[in-house]
Amino acid sequence: MTESEDEEPLISGSGDGIEDASEETLKAWNTLLDGWTDYCTRPTELVKLARKGIPNSLRPTVWMRLGGLTEADIEDKYRHLYAESRLNECPHEQVIIWDLNRTFPGNEYFKEGNDGQQKLYRVCKSYAGYDQEVGYCQGLSFIVAVLLLHLEEDKAFALFSVIMQEYQSETCSRKDSRCCN
């Protein structure tokens, strides 16, 4: 399949996505969120709605709840950890810096010198300082970048920490030292 000359190629990580959902879909999501008070259990309707897509405007809320995080968690634990770990020495700093320009280069937010790239650096460096056993693995910046497109910096750090603790892939686990450190 070839592209016609008047079609622009989709640039991975450009940030262009589906606009928000219909009023009906938003209403269904808001009803689900209003009733979702126990973050340790997932509502039965969640899978059905998620298969249709999570509206952009609700992604931060849904993602934080999927991670089991509350505002109190962010205030009480992760903001402190984030601030503290940013000060830690980071032996992975150079690898993180190399990854910055490779992470969604088609997205203006993550271009060199832009706010997104600076936040990406801080979150990756902080995580490497926070979880010194894992440190930093090449490519983790892509996960952090997606979170930063939808979440504030401290919330992205918190959710990334939960993802790494709860859902760590076998390609970058504490047992596979070839990938990490």
Side-chain angles (χ1 to χ4, degrees):
M1 186 168 119
T2 61
E3 288 181 23
S4 69
E5 288 185 22
D6 39 77
E7 282 185 60
E8 290 189 32
L10 176 62
I11 299 173
S12 177
S14 67
D16 296 333
I18 300 170
E19 291 302 314
D20 252 336
S22 68
E23 280 188 49
E24 182 181 322
T25 300
L26 286 171
K27 184 177 178 185
W29 272 104
N30 283 318
T31 300
L32 176 116
L33 291 171
D34 289 344
W36 190 359
T37 55
D38 179 6
Y39 298 174
C40 293
T41 59
R42 295 183 177 164
T44 54
E45 310 84 31
L46 178 65
V47 172
K48 182 180 175 185
L49 283 174
R51 284 189 175 142
K52 295 178 182 177
I54 302 171
N56 288 340
S57 62
L58 297 177
R59 283 183 185 166
T61 304
V62 172
W63 289 358
M64 296 301 281
R65 290 195 188 174
L66 285 169
L69 293 166
T70 64
E71 278 298 322
D73 293 328
I74 305 299
E75 274 305 314
D76 298 341
K77 180 179 179 184
Y78 288 100
R79 281 201 179 110
H80 169 72
L81 284 174
Y82 182 55
E84 186 180 285
S85 61
R86 284 175 61 181
L87 302 174
N88 290 349
E89 189 70 29
C90 181
H92 311 284
E93 192 163 1
Q94 188 58 54
V95 177
I96 293 167
I97 290 169
W98 288 334
D99 262 4
L100 291 178
N101 288 325
R102 300 175 191 157
T103 306
F104 296 131
N107 188 313
E108 196 63 38
Y109 187 62
F110 294 113
K111 291 205 182 218
E112 190 168 355
N114 285 352
D115 192 42
Q117 192 177 72
Q118 294 167 16
K119 289 177 181 180
L120 181 61
Y121 167 76
R122 289 191 297 263
V123 174
C124 289
K125 181 180 182 277
S126 296
Y127 184 77
Y130 163 65
D131 188 347
Q132 295 180 7
E133 195 173 346
V134 169
Y136 179 80
C137 300
Q138 185 177 11
L140 290 180
S141 59
F142 283 96
I143 300 167
V144 174
V146 169
L147 296 175
L148 285 171
L149 287 172
H150 298 279
L151 299 168
E152 297 166 23
E153 200 170 332
D154 56 345
K155 290 179 180 179
F157 172 78
L159 188 53
F160 182 68
S161 298
V162 168
I163 290 168
M164 290 299 289
Q165 290 167 11
E166 299 296 322
Y167 306 105
Q168 214 170 57
S169 74
E170 292 188 24
T171 59
C172 189
S173 70
R174 289 174 170 87
K175 295 176 183 119
D176 185 0
S177 61
R178 292 171 293 143
C179 174
C180 303
N181 301 319

